[in-house]
Amino acid sequence: MIPRYSPEKFVTLWSDLHKYQTWFDVEIAACEAMEAAGSVPPGTAVSVKGFRGQLRSERIDEIERTTRHDVIAFLTHVEELAGPPARYLHRGMTSSDVLDTSLALILREASDLLLERLDALLETLAGRVREHRRTPMMGRSHGIHAEPITFGLVLAGHYAALCRGRARLRAARTEIAVGKLAGAVGTYAHLTPAIERDALGRLGLEPETVSTQVVSRDRHAFYAASLGVLAAGIERFATNIRHFQRTEVGEAEEAFQKGQKGSSAMPHKRNPILSENLCGLARVVRAMVIPAMENVALWHERDISHSSVERMAFPDATTTLAFMLERLTRLTKNLVVYPDKLRANLEMTGRLWASEGVLLALIDKGIARQEAYVMVQRNAMRAFAGEGEFKKLLLADQEIRGLLGQEEIETQFELEHALAQVDAVIDRALEAKEE
């Protein structure tokens, strides 16, 4: 099943109300851990936690216009709702204990939404790989005909890259699932590591190994980088689709729906608009990586320069990447492939692609590599010049025929010979997805 793009899920995920609710969850977990340690009166968390559903972001914003401090505004609002027991919240904590721990929870949620969409893409792509595992086409290097491959092999390469992207995202999810309740400069002056571990355990997080006032931003940089590399992999796939759809190539194209129009001026146009859109959006996601890297170096125990970056970068990057994954999934499912054109392009040069096989056959006869190269190349260049078909030119070359028989030459021109190992490579790619 292909999940439709659901902006409301990410709007909710990054909304102010969800942020405040996540802050509330962190405060309650900390309060429960302090209760267990005897730092606050028993029953405090229970008396407060029921007010989670009554949080109002508008009221917090109103208070913040006076306090100019978001966490103080939040705590003030909770005290308005819960009364005296709320005074025990935030005991020994600093704002970043709440902010960084809640950010870890939200990024973990974002990761799960992204992985759901990535899995749908991989499932769809794997189906197309199997469908075209034996659909022959011309492989290209530098954009020039090289040797035969299959369309399924091309797709398998993208599948394998996306699997690596999945592994990186899963690793980044683990890397980012770290919080802190270590106080103003990470020394637990009014808390203990045991309280921190208890509270974070209730949230499914691990404690930062050595925190300052904040969780170290190399974790967040790694997370952003995993998103950027995944977006780059999507762009690579989309770029190939754009090439396949070029009029001169015509090997595959985006589905063109009834009633769709490609140009305001030219009624004949069928443009790769989805692929081009993905290439552009990849730049947006990658643009978040450098600011995340620059957030790693903060002054002393903490400055606030990273905060403004993250308020923009993580909502934008995760939401954009989710859209890209869903768009590429639908594009892949509906991609129109033209086997006849693939075959026609494969045969365009009269099987000049057999040149390496003939070269190796001559080497096996004891001819020096560079000497054999010259013998094959002179016939290939004559074929390029239109002086004859490559295979016939080779068969007529007396120097080559003195070394290779007709069958030995013709074997190198057999497509099955060229594609003998493709299934093994595709099978290896399809086994790459980690569970």
Side-chain angles (χ1 to χ4, degrees):
M1 178 180 177
I2 303 175
R4 297 292 299 179
Y5 178 59
S6 308
E8 65 276 4
K9 289 187 178 181
F10 281 88
V11 169
T12 299
L13 179 68
W14 292 108
S15 69
D16 284 344
L17 179 58
H18 184 65
K19 176 181 68 175
Y20 296 139
Q21 289 172 336
T22 308
W23 290 5
F24 190 90
D25 294 338
V26 173
E27 292 283 5
I28 292 298
C31 186
E32 290 172 340
M34 291 180 205
E35 281 188 42
S39 301
V40 301
T44 301
V46 170
S47 66
V48 175
K49 68 167 46 178
F51 291 95
R52 184 182 191 274
Q54 297 182 36
L55 293 173
R56 291 177 52 239
S57 58
E58 299 86 355
R59 177 55 182 154
I60 296 172
D61 294 343
E62 180 184 1
I63 298 170
E64 188 182 354
R65 282 194 286 273
T66 298
T67 64
R68 300 297 179 95
H69 194 291
D70 52 359
V71 175
I72 292 175
F74 162 76
L75 291 169
T76 302
H77 179 49
V78 175
E79 289 179 33
E80 289 177 341
L81 296 172
R87 70 183 184 274
Y88 292 107
L89 297 184
H90 210 69
R91 179 181 175 86
M93 295 165 58
T94 190
S95 296
S96 290
D97 289 333
V98 179
L99 297 174
D100 281 6
T101 303
S102 66
L103 179 59
L105 294 172
I106 292 173
L107 287 175
R108 188 173 63 184
E109 288 184 75
S111 301
D112 291 340
L113 290 171
L114 291 171
L115 286 165
E116 175 189 358
R117 283 149 183 77
L118 181 52
D119 284 344
L121 171 57
L122 287 169
E123 181 181 356
T124 301
L125 184 53
R128 300 309 303 266
V129 170
R130 295 185 182 98
E131 177 186 355
H132 291 288
R133 68 158 60 230
R134 300 301 296 177
T135 303
M137 67 178 292
M138 177 51 67
R140 300 172 174 91
S141 57
H142 305 277
I144 307 302
H145 284 203
E147 293 185 343
I149 56 175
T150 72
F151 197 74
L153 182 63
V154 170
L155 297 180
H158 293 296
Y159 180 90
L162 290 169
C163 283
R164 292 191 293 274
R166 182 177 184 269
R168 293 186 194 101
L169 181 55
R170 285 165 62 91
R173 182 188 186 278
T174 300
E175 176 87 3
I176 205 66
V178 165
K180 67 161 295 250
L181 297 177
V185 289
T187 59
Y188 305 95
H190 308 287
L191 292 162
T192 67
I195 289 174
E196 177 189 61
R197 181 168 289 280
D198 183 2
L200 295 178
R202 296 169 189 268
L203 299 168
L205 301 176
E206 293 292 325
E208 174 61 288
T209 311
V210 179
S211 62
T212 56
Q213 192 177 97
V214 297
V215 169
S216 297
R217 256 47 197 178
D218 59 287
R219 297 180 182 277
H220 303 75
F222 178 68
Y223 188 88
S226 74
L227 302 185
V229 174
L230 184 53
I234 292 173
E235 182 181 15
R236 175 186 167 224
F237 190 3
T239 298
N240 273 342
I241 293 171
R242 292 168 63 189
H243 169 74
F244 295 146
Q245 191 160 338
R246 289 169 63 99
T247 304
E248 297 86 348
V249 179
E251 296 174 344
E253 68 172 341
E254 297 176 6
F256 197 81
Q257 306 297 329
K258 183 177 180 180
Q260 183 176 342
K261 295 175 174 59
S263 166
S264 63
M266 297 167 284
H268 71 279
K269 293 297 292 297
R270 294 157 66 109
N271 300 327
I273 55 172
L274 302 180
S275 302
E276 291 174 343
N277 171 261
L278 289 171
C279 290
L281 292 177
R283 300 167 193 167
V284 174
V285 178
R286 284 201 304 276
M288 307 299 179
V289 178
I290 295 300
M293 296 289 183
E294 293 175 341
N295 276 353
V296 175
L298 301 176
W299 285 18
H300 303 294
E301 281 59 59
R302 188 244 184 156
D303 68 64
I304 202 173
S305 60
H306 65 287
S307 178
S308 55
V309 175
E310 291 172 356
R311 289 172 191 244
M312 296 182 65
F314 286 127
D316 285 356
T318 55
T319 303
T320 301
L321 185 57
F323 175 81
M324 293 173 67
L325 289 166
E326 293 184 16
R327 169 150 286 186
L328 184 57
T329 301
R330 291 192 295 275
L331 194 166
T332 301
K333 179 181 179 181
N334 298 319
L335 186 68
V336 181
V337 182
Y338 297 107
D340 290 344
K341 189 59 184 289
L342 287 164
R343 173 72 74 157
N345 287 344
L346 177 64
E347 302 293 349
M348 184 184 296
T349 64
R351 301 207 170 190
L352 276 170
W353 51 259
S355 67
E356 184 180 10
V358 178
L359 168 67
L360 296 176
L362 289 169
I363 292 172
D364 288 343
K365 295 295 184 178
I367 303 300
R369 182 181 184 89
Q370 298 310 315
E371 182 182 350
Y373 194 104
V374 170
M375 294 165 64
V376 177
Q377 188 185 46
R378 70 187 176 216
N379 289 284
M381 295 304 102
R382 289 183 63 196
F384 263 120
E387 297 178 20
E389 184 182 331
F390 184 44
K391 183 168 70 173
K392 290 181 178 179
L393 290 169
L394 290 170
L395 290 170
D397 188 311
Q398 295 304 308
E399 187 176 12
I400 291 176
R401 285 306 305 278
L403 298 162
L404 298 175
Q406 180 173 341
E407 184 176 349
E408 290 177 298
I409 293 174
E410 290 181 343
T411 296
Q412 306 307 322
F413 286 80
E414 294 173 2
L415 195 56
E416 287 304 312
H417 176 76
L419 300 177
Q421 306 304 322
V422 165
D423 280 326
V425 178
I426 289 175
D427 290 340
R428 185 171 62 194
L430 292 176
E431 294 168 1
K433 183 180 175 185
E434 296 181 5
E435 295 300 336

